[in-house]
Amino acid sequence: MPPPTFDRLAFARRILRAEAATLDVVAGRLDDGFDRVAGLLFACRGRVAVTGVGKSADVGQKVVGTLNSTGTRAYMLDATRALHGDLGMVHPDDVALVFSHSGESEELVRLVGPLRKLAAAVATVTGSADGTLARASDATVVYGPVTEACPLALAPSTSTTVMLALGDALAFALLEERQFTAEDFARYHPAGSLGRKLAAVEAVMRRGAELRVAPATETVRAVFARVRHTGRRTGAIMLVDADGRLAGLFTDSDLARLFENRADDALDLPIERVMTRRPVVIGPSARVGEAVELLQGRKISELPVVDADGRPVGMLDITDLIGLEPPAAAAESPPVLRLSGRKSA
């Protein structure tokens, strides 16, 4: 039992700082072994067969997911099952990637020989340069000795953190070398909140009969009398000029303000007199996450979607995107299209 005065937060901080400090040490130890392992994975014509035992296998499973989502095809090879027939899944073009802290795990030591015969190459991530696995591999990342953060110095903790971080480093080095883009990433993540943020605007925008579009020269009264829509309701009407290009936006809130200001005579004026001219718009190929960033940053509720000629092709309503957060940091400025003139309110 911990003492009554045991400070959980202080203890947790010590664990995190200890593991973080070890990662910094390991970063300084990296040598050309990392480059050789990454080179084998980059040149792999098949898939990366990741294997390990115990907690190292758990790390390997996460690394498989990261590799697959960032452009490097991979699969998990269970070491025990592999020794009893699952080696049949290994293709001659595959590269095996073995995770083992000690480099002496019995199952992996028995597996490395057959792997060398069946796969194009064997690479290892280990803490021991002199271990059997390191000596039997074509290339090895040796991170060296580490002290487990476990108070008993027994449970794999710092060592698994290091292996996980090195798996990320390998995956992201390959991502950079392959010039893997956010658009590529989006193709592998079609579902969930992340998938929605990475999806193209055209995949989620309102379109066709759901849009409210009218000529900017008609009166406010005429516009609201003639505009009809079906499906999801949007609180904005897109006003177009004689060439069909977006000229402005008029929202239900704008109509309410006319009534609040007792400007009843404005109902029979051309709507272009009271519309928001040159509103902020976005292109159909932009990502949904960038649209969310615009809506939140500009504090607007509707975002017209226009083509390269400025003609409206869709509408994004903030109610369709509830629950999505803007990207934490965008590598580039969002592809916003803005027609010349004043900004929308």
Side-chain angles (χ1 to χ4, degrees), residues 163-187:
M163 284 191 281
L164 192 63
L166 286 170
D168 285 343
L170 286 168
F172 299 149
L174 297 172
L175 176 152
E176 286 289 312
E177 196 165 0
R178 296 188 200 286
Q179 298 183 340
F180 193 82
T181 66
E183 287 72 23
D184 296 323
F185 192 85
R187 288 189 294 130

Side-chain angles (χ1 to χ4, degrees), residues 319-333:
T319 58
D320 302 329
L321 306 175
I322 291 174
L324 293 183
E325 294 293 331
E332 300 176 356
S333 298

Side-chain angles (χ1 to χ4, degrees), residues 104-194:
E104 297 292 349
S105 299
E106 180 183 353
E107 298 93 334
L108 297 176
V109 169
R110 293 176 63 190
L111 184 61
V112 71
L115 279 177
R116 288 186 60 82
K117 296 176 183 178
L118 294 170
V122 175
T124 297
V125 176
T126 182
S128 175
D130 298 322
T132 301
L133 291 177
R135 289 185 280 107
S137 297
D138 297 291
T140 306
V141 177
V142 178
Y143 53 82
V146 299
T147 301
E148 302 291 7
C150 166
L152 302 176
L154 296 174
S157 44
T158 305
S159 58
T160 49
T161 297
V162 168
M163 284 191 281
L164 192 63
L166 286 170
D168 285 343
L170 286 168
F172 299 149
L174 297 172
L175 176 152
E176 286 289 312
E177 196 165 0
R178 296 188 200 286
Q179 298 183 340
F180 193 82
T181 66
E183 287 72 23
D184 296 323
F185 192 85
R187 288 189 294 130
Y188 302 142
H189 294 78
S193 176
L194 177 60

Side-chain angles (χ1 to χ4, degrees), residues 280-300:
V280 174
V281 298
I282 198 166
S285 62
R287 289 190 290 275
V288 170
E290 293 160 354
V292 173
E293 190 174 56
L294 265 181
L295 287 165
Q296 293 190 351
R298 297 303 183 94
K299 294 181 172 57
I300 54 179

Side-chain angles (χ1 to χ4, degrees), residues 16 31 34 39 88 97 134 137 152 171 183 209 235-236 266 272 282 291 299 317 328:
L16 293 177
D31 56 20
F34 182 92
L97 179 60
S137 297
L152 302 176
E183 287 72 23
E272 61 187 354
I282 198 166
K299 294 181 172 57
D317 191 288

Side-chain angles (χ1 to χ4, degrees), residues 36 48 67 74 116 147 171 177 182 215 223 252 268 288 326 337 339:
R36 287 197 298 271
V48 178
L67 288 170
R116 288 186 60 82
T147 301
E177 196 165 0
V223 166
D252 290 350
D268 294 307
V288 170
L337 304 176
L339 307 180

Side-chain angles (χ1 to χ4, degrees), residues 16-69:
L16 293 177
R17 286 168 180 151
E19 295 199 359
T22 300
L23 286 176
D24 188 55
V25 170
V26 170
R29 290 175 181 167
L30 285 184
D31 56 20
D32 58 359
F34 182 92
D35 188 58
R36 287 197 298 271
V37 170
L40 286 177
L41 301 183
F42 182 75
C44 176
R45 296 171 57 191
R47 294 189 296 165
V48 178
V50 181
T51 190
V53 174
K55 298 299 184 292
S56 296
D58 295 335
V59 169
Q61 188 65 68
K62 188 274 179 186
V63 172
V64 165
T66 303
L67 288 170
N68 280 321
S69 67

